[in-house]
Amino acid sequence: MITSDETLRIGVYVCHCGSNIAGTVDVEALTKFAEGLPHVALARHYKYMCSDPGQELVKRDIVEFGLNRIVVAACSPNLHEATFRRAAEDAGLNRFLVQIANIREQVAWVTEDRQEALEKAESHLGAAVRRVARHVPLQRQFVRIVPRAMVVGGGIAGIQAALTLAEAGREVILVEREPSIGGHMAMFDKTFPTLDCAACILTPKMTAVKLHPNIKLLTYSTVESVEGSVGNFRIKVKRKPRYIDESLCVGCMQCIDGCAFTRAKFPNAFDQGLGLRKPVWIPFPQAVPPVPVVDPEVCLQIARGKCKQGCVEACGERNAFRFDQQERIEEYEVGAVVVATGFHAFDPSVISYYGYGKYPNVYTSLEVERLLNAGGPTSGKLVLRDGSTPKRVGIIHCVGSRDANYHAYCSRVCCMYALKLAHLVREKTEAEVYNCYIDIRAAGKGFEEFYNRVQNEGVQFVRGKVADITPAAGQGTSAEGGLVMKVDDTLLGSIREINVDMVILAVALEPQADANQVRRTFGISCSAEGFFLEKHPKLAPVNTANDGVLVAGACQGAKDIPDTVAQADAAAAKALALIDAGQIELEPNTAWIEEDICSGCKTCINLCPYQAIRADEERKIAVVDPALCKGCGTCVAACPSGAARQHLFGDEQISEELEGLMNYV
Amino acid sequence: MSENGFKPRIVAFLCNWCSYTASDLAGTSRVKYSPRVRMIRVMCSGRVDPSFVLKAFALGADGVLIAGCHPGDCHYIEQNYKTMRRHAMLRYFLEQMGIQPERLRLVWASAAEGQYLAESIDQFVADVQKLGPLRWSGVWEDPWRREDAFDEIAAEHAEAMEVQA
Ligand SMILES: Cc1cc2nc3c(=O)[nH]c(=O)nc-3n(C[C@H](O)[C@H](O)[C@H](O)COP(=O)(O)OP(=O)(O)OC[C@H]3O[C@@H](n4cnc5c(N)ncnc54)[C@H](O)[C@@H]3O)c2cc1C
Ligand code: FES
């Protein structure tokens, strides 16, 4: 029902947004319409309401005409609600007496028919006027921000973000799922386009993480749950048992020599299963922390309870072994989180015509990275399964990328790392190398130059998709020997069959297998292909839908190391800006209980996801803790007696908005 | 507008975090969809009081759409599950009130699904168009009786939701 409060003086402002709104919505007609609405003291339209002169207009009118409510019909409140709230406040009006009618995203940009657009805009504007009449002044509430950040994922993105934050003097907790930080970069031998040795540039950073007094490193750990919100997250971290006390281990690795298994016989996941390890192991020599882990499934002491414990003996008086270690949960309070959980390399065995998993000499790029790495399973020798050196190598681009059946997107780094591998293969083996590509995407600083260099080194480039890989004539499917790549060479215009003895598949970068779960834990979104979604693709590339949670690196989309590092620093800077602000404003739209009406039925208590409502048994009423309430309004919607109320989104405001919507159509 | 000239009036409640953002995205991507839907922003689909839905029908809406985050994605953890339950309850209740339950629709649209939200709106508008005008408020032409009738419905709803202390 329209309020009869005669003191109301509502000012209405219709924004043209250049031609964005005015091109579709008749702003003059809309302003006339507004003038006729109850309690509207003044209505204007202006080219750009969000500009300084636009805001000045509102401020002047508030003072000059004694306006006490403001409605702005413009773009989404997600963009400029804050702007106009601030303008109102500057002019001495309570900032919550402002309402936005969305006539750009929800009207002008989505409607073709001008008459329909005007009607819809009138309806949204009329509703906003009716609603704002029911707004009441509110106090802004602030809470302290915990001056500490958490970084999740210890690849190059997480390492960089953690170091930047730590160097700025902030405490950082770095959580890594694997026994060591380093991520994919630690697996590579060299990096494009400069061919820097990956270890040479990464290891110092890993060590710096270990030594930095501001960084608490939690490896072999994952985030179990996240409570709270921006400024005050309470995060539970699950720490898997290493069965070795990290604080006592000095990293001498003598336990590995002492292990009852004299030979390594279990696949090392870090080496993509190409190398073998013992039950007590370390993923790679430069691992940080340099502390081994014990695999409880194969360790005789843990799995069977019986072993001569050569490891413990080798450890000697350092006495770091703890076979009774249990998984444990630790809780941390932080103000901001950087999610940097990286990517997963596409498993090409699902594309049957490439024969991965069927023909032993078909490898993934990541496997070859390990073979080329001096610290890898072959100490850097590129060899086939039988130990011989390949003489003819085929490298297939875009495996799983740019393919509607797998990933429609381009993985951005595969062309470049395929060129890098071509160079390294030739350098190490002098083999003939054939790169089969769709297009070469070498857009980056120094990339085209690197492409030219590799061409000049004699690598053969074949433009076309590989349709099939088969064993060379006379060799069965399990043969260790030669393969034939059948490729439609689009430059020659004919099908070619190229004999090779090794095939390298340049696999796509895809979201981590558990990305969906991680996304839920942190309350963020994913884009259609499954990478974490930034808040805005251009203007907020490291923020997410959940304030205080930032993203960096390949978890946000396929990218190379330089872009990853740049994004990690951006996320660190954002986290820093946030936690340095010291305090943060609470949601204004919290719930409260009208004590006289509350019957103490407790319906609301069970509905609250934050345990923000408790029962006051003495007074037989419910009580809301405003610091815990996030303002979803579920209790308000459920209260049978109407005692649960909500600031800004109360029944009175929403009902009034609804009546406005329905009245002006 | 359509063959029978009927322009449905539809109210959509959009949760702030996913569906309202999806509508913003539909806008920035310039996806065109039916203008017959009027939008109300709520912080969460769990805020949609069943009486809002009834009120919308009482005020002359031919259809009501509730859009929220996908199950498991609610910004407030799990409040959209409550929306789901209310939706089921409301459909049953609408039937009792002589309103086809198909006039109420629940859709999940994530912040990335602007296109999908637009398609869902078009689909709903087309479906309501087929159902024809509701004319439920017609029985209360006198605005005062309409208010009374609405209060009655709200009271009934309150009773139905009452939980013993
Ligand atoms: C074969 C190949 C070769 C490449 N060569 C080059 C090159 O030469 N030059 C170049 O610039 N780029 C190259 N790239 C790209 C490069 O790998 C990426 O840019 C880089 O690794 C991205 O770093 P990141 O930290 O975002 O992700 P990652 O390296 O994937 O690191 C993510 C980290 O997070 C951890 N993690 C994952 N999930 C969780 C969780 N739930 N909780 C805790 N921790 C978690 C992981 O264990 C890992 O340590 C190559 C990629 C491939 C596949
Ligand atoms: S916030 Fe979208 S449904 Fe709860």
Side-chain angles (χ1 to χ4, degrees):
Chain A
M1 217 192 304
I2 299 171
T3 165
S4 55
D5 182 352
E6 290 306 327
T7 62
L8 282 171
R9 294 181 62 76
I10 304 176
V12 176
Y13 298 86
V14 177
C15 181
H16 300 194
C17 192
S19 62
N20 279 309
I21 292 171
T24 312
V25 176
D26 181 342
V27 287
E28 278 174 31
L30 186 60
T31 310
K32 267 228 171 59
F33 163 82
E35 280 169 355
L37 294 174
H39 306 299
V40 170
L42 166 163
R44 295 185 195 274
H45 57 90
Y46 186 71
K47 210 157 182 58
Y48 289 105
M49 279 311 299
C50 64
S51 67
D52 280 347
Q55 294 180 49
E56 280 307 319
L57 195 62
V58 178
K59 291 188 210 172
R60 257 205 331 267
D61 288 350
I62 291 175
V63 177
E64 202 165 310
F65 297 99
L67 302 179
N68 52 20
R69 297 286 188 285
I70 300 295
V71 168
V72 186
C75 55
S76 167
N78 287 328
L79 287 166
H80 281 303
E81 186 175 57
T83 310
F84 295 109
R85 280 181 172 175
R86 202 178 323 120
E89 196 168 66
D90 286 350
L93 190 65
N94 184 279
R95 56 163 40 220
F96 298 107
L97 301 178
V98 175
Q99 177 68 16
I100 307 289
N102 185 340
I103 61 165
R104 192 178 76 173
E105 283 81 353
Q106 290 183 343
V107 180
W109 278 348
V110 293
T111 312
E112 245 143 19
D113 184 300
R114 285 181 63 89
Q115 184 54 33
E116 287 278 3
L118 178 60
E119 283 177 23
K120 188 172 176 185
E122 286 179 352
S123 169
H124 279 194
L125 174 64
V129 168
R130 292 278 296 260
R131 186 191 213 278
V132 84
R134 301 286 179 164
H135 281 208
V136 292
L138 297 173
Q139 283 294 317
R140 296 169 77 178
Q141 309 272 348
F142 295 88
V143 288
R144 199 181 70 89
I145 291 177
V146 179
R148 191 180 297 127
M150 179 175 281
V151 176
V152 183
I156 181 60
I159 290 173
Q160 181 75 18
L163 284 173
T164 301
L165 282 158
E167 276 155 24
R170 300 298 168 279
E171 276 177 53
V172 185
I173 293 143
L174 176 57
V175 182
E176 165 59 51
R177 179 172 60 187
E178 301 299 324
S180 169
I181 55 172
H184 284 97
M185 190 175 169
M187 297 174 184
F188 311 151
D189 183 39
K190 301 259 169 64
T191 55
F192 68 72
T194 45
L195 297 177
D196 304 78
C197 134
C200 309
I201 53 178
L202 181 63
T203 317
K205 282 192 183 283
M206 290 169 56
T207 315
V209 165
K210 166 112 181 67
L211 296 179
H212 209 295
N214 286 341
I215 300 181
K216 186 171 175 71
L217 177 58
L218 310 177
T219 48
Y220 220 34
S221 305
T222 48
V223 169
E224 183 77 356
S225 68
V226 178
E227 281 175 21
S229 55
V230 53
N232 292 273
F233 292 106
R234 287 179 309 284
I235 303 188
K236 290 206 169 86
V237 177
K238 184 162 86 185
R239 310 213 52 197
K240 284 209 288 184
R242 269 178 191 268
Y243 303 103
I244 291 175
D245 185 332
E246 232 175 277
S247 64
L248 297 176
C249 172
V250 294
C252 68
M253 308 296 157
Q254 284 174 10
C255 52
I256 299 180
D257 296 332
C259 176
F261 283 85
T262 44
R263 274 186 310 118
K265 55 181 285 197
F266 307 101
N268 178 350
F270 189 82
D271 285 336
Q272 306 299 301
L274 295 173
L276 299 174
R277 62 161 171 88
K278 293 184 179 180
V280 56
W281 66 291
I282 189 148
F284 56 105
Q286 307 91 330
V288 168
V291 179
V293 280
V294 180
D295 178 348
E297 307 224 317
V298 292
C299 165
L300 294 177
Q301 179 58 37
I302 299 172
R304 309 232 181 103
K306 225 172 76 192
C307 182
K308 67 178 172 66
Q309 298 189 8
C311 52
V312 175
E313 200 178 308
C315 191
E317 59 192 30
R318 289 178 293 268
N319 192 21
F321 276 82
R322 296 287 179 275
F323 290 116
D324 58 352
Q325 222 175 45
Q326 299 288 324
E327 181 179 292
R328 58 186 197 282
I329 303 283
E330 292 173 0
E331 192 169 319
Y332 294 91
E333 278 190 16
V334 297
V337 182
V338 177
V339 177
T341 49
F343 67 95
H344 178 256
F346 175 75
D347 174 3
S349 58
V350 295
I351 309 183
S352 58
Y353 50 82
Y354 288 147
Y356 179 76
K358 187 168 161 202
Y359 308 126
N361 289 328
V362 178
Y363 292 81
T364 69
S365 45
L366 217 44
E367 288 171 332
V368 173
E369 293 280 358
R370 289 313 290 153
L371 293 177
L372 291 168
N373 191 306
T378 53
S379 304
K381 279 227 286 293
L382 184 69
V383 289
L384 296 168
R385 303 268 174 187
D386 64 4
S388 65
T389 305
K391 297 196 177 55
R392 297 165 66 83
V393 177
I395 300 180
I396 304 179
H397 291 225
C398 299
V399 174
S401 308
R402 304 180 69 197
D403 182 334
N405 296 318
Y406 305 100
H407 298 302
Y409 57 84
C410 163
S411 291
R412 282 188 56 194
V413 297
C414 321
C415 276
M416 289 310 294
Y417 80 58
L419 296 176
K420 170 185 78 175
L421 292 177
H423 165 87
L424 293 175
V425 168
R426 274 191 73 74
E427 185 180 74
K428 294 217 170 180
T429 64
E430 291 174 2
E432 276 295 327
V433 177
Y434 298 86
N435 274 49
C436 303
Y437 66 100
I438 309 179
D439 305 289
I440 294 286
R441 298 199 164 168
K445 217 171 173 178
F447 287 13
E448 188 70 17
E449 293 85 337
F450 185 65
Y451 175 33
N452 290 335
R453 170 177 169 186
V454 174
Q455 277 178 308
N456 291 335
E457 284 169 0
V459 172
Q460 308 280 329
F461 284 84
V462 182
R463 186 167 179 271
K465 272 199 95 160
V466 172
D468 211 2
I469 290 176
T470 46
Q475 294 177 324
T477 53
S478 63
E480 297 279 304
L483 298 162
V484 180
M485 294 196 299
K486 197 188 230 179
V487 49
D488 181 4
D489 188 327
T490 54
L491 293 181
L492 284 183
S494 66
I495 308 269
R496 282 172 70 181
E497 294 196 345
I498 302 171
N499 279 297
V500 289
D501 42 25
M502 176 184 230
V503 171
I504 304 172
L505 304 176
V507 291
L509 276 61
E510 63 183 14
Q512 291 276 15
D514 65 348
N516 208 32
Q517 197 187 323
V518 172
R519 172 182 79 75
R520 288 204 167 148
T521 305
F522 290 98
I524 61 180
S525 312
C526 282
S527 49
E529 67 275 13
F531 290 110
F532 298 145
L533 187 66
E534 65 282 0
K535 192 167 186 175
H536 191 284
K538 298 182 189 74
L539 302 178
V542 297
N543 295 74
T544 65
N546 193 0
D547 277 349
V549 178
L550 307 154
V551 284
C555 63
Q556 180 266 340
K559 58 175 68 68
D560 60 17
I561 295 164
D563 285 1
T564 296
V565 169
Q567 204 181 19
D569 273 341
K574 282 281 178 193
L576 206 54
L578 175 74
I579 59 182
D580 278 6
Q583 60 171 15
I584 191 155
E585 189 169 357
L586 287 177
E587 295 284 346
N589 46 290
T590 46
W592 53 285
I593 304 288
E594 184 132 2
E595 300 188 352
D596 297 346
I597 305 179
C598 178
S599 65
C601 73
K602 299 184 185 169
T603 303
C604 53
I605 293 180
N606 289 330
L607 290 174
C608 180
Y610 303 105
Q611 286 91 41
I613 318 180
R614 62 178 180 82
D616 181 333
E617 294 294 354
E618 228 159 74
R619 294 193 291 161
K620 296 241 174 314
I621 55 166
V623 182
V624 178
D625 179 344
L628 294 180
C629 174
K630 298 271 165 281
C632 66
T634 307
C635 55
V636 190
C639 178
S641 48
R645 310 278 300 275
Q646 186 177 10
H647 295 307
L648 277 181
F649 285 87
D651 283 354
E652 59 281 25
Q653 284 116 11
I654 299 177
S655 286
E656 204 59 28
E657 186 174 355
L658 182 55
E659 293 210 15
L661 274 191
M662 296 309 297
N663 252 327
Y664 309 113
V665 282
Chain B
M1 183 87 231
S2 75
E3 318 82 65
N4 54 12
F6 162 53
K7 289 188 182 181
R9 305 207 298 168
I10 292 171
V11 174
F13 293 94
L14 308 176
C15 92
N16 181 58
W17 303 98
C18 287
S19 305
Y20 197 94
T21 314
S23 85
D24 280 350
L25 177 63
T28 31
S29 338
R30 310 298 200 275
V31 180
K32 300 289 184 279
Y33 58 88
S34 168
R36 302 310 307 162
V37 174
R38 310 289 191 242
M39 283 117 164
I40 292 191
R41 179 166 76 123
V42 284
M43 293 314 283
C44 175
S45 68
R47 177 63 183 93
V48 181
D49 188 322
S51 69
F52 294 163
V53 174
L54 299 177
K55 179 162 184 154
F57 284 123
L59 290 170
D62 301 298
V64 175
L65 184 82
I66 303 174
C69 315
H70 286 270
D73 290 355
C74 173
H75 185 74
Y76 305 99
I77 305 175
E78 46 168 35
Q79 302 311 70
N80 49 3
Y81 287 92
K82 282 133 203 174
T83 313
M84 235 190 281
R85 296 213 290 263
R86 287 191 190 127
H87 173 245
M89 185 272 282
L90 265 168
R91 281 176 62 97
Y92 177 79
F93 185 66
L94 289 178
E95 182 107 66
Q96 309 292 307
M97 300 296 293
I99 298 177
Q100 296 101 317
E102 297 76 43
R103 290 186 186 273
L104 173 65
R105 183 162 298 171
L106 178 60
V107 303
W108 308 129
S110 80
E113 292 175 329
Q115 175 78 36
Y116 172 76
L117 179 70
E119 284 164 12
S120 306
I121 287 176
D122 277 342
Q123 185 61 52
F124 187 49
V125 172
D127 292 347
V128 172
Q129 201 123 36
K130 274 193 215 110
L131 289 171
L134 174 58
R135 296 215 183 83
W136 197 52
S137 59
V139 285
W140 303 307
E141 245 128 46
D142 168 358
W144 290 109
R145 282 202 48 212
R146 192 168 81 185
E147 286 289 324
D148 289 349
F150 169 66
D151 286 344
E152 248 168 64
I153 296 169
E156 266 177 46
H157 151 64
E159 229 165 80
M161 293 283 289
E162 181 88 56
V163 176
Q164 291 308 313

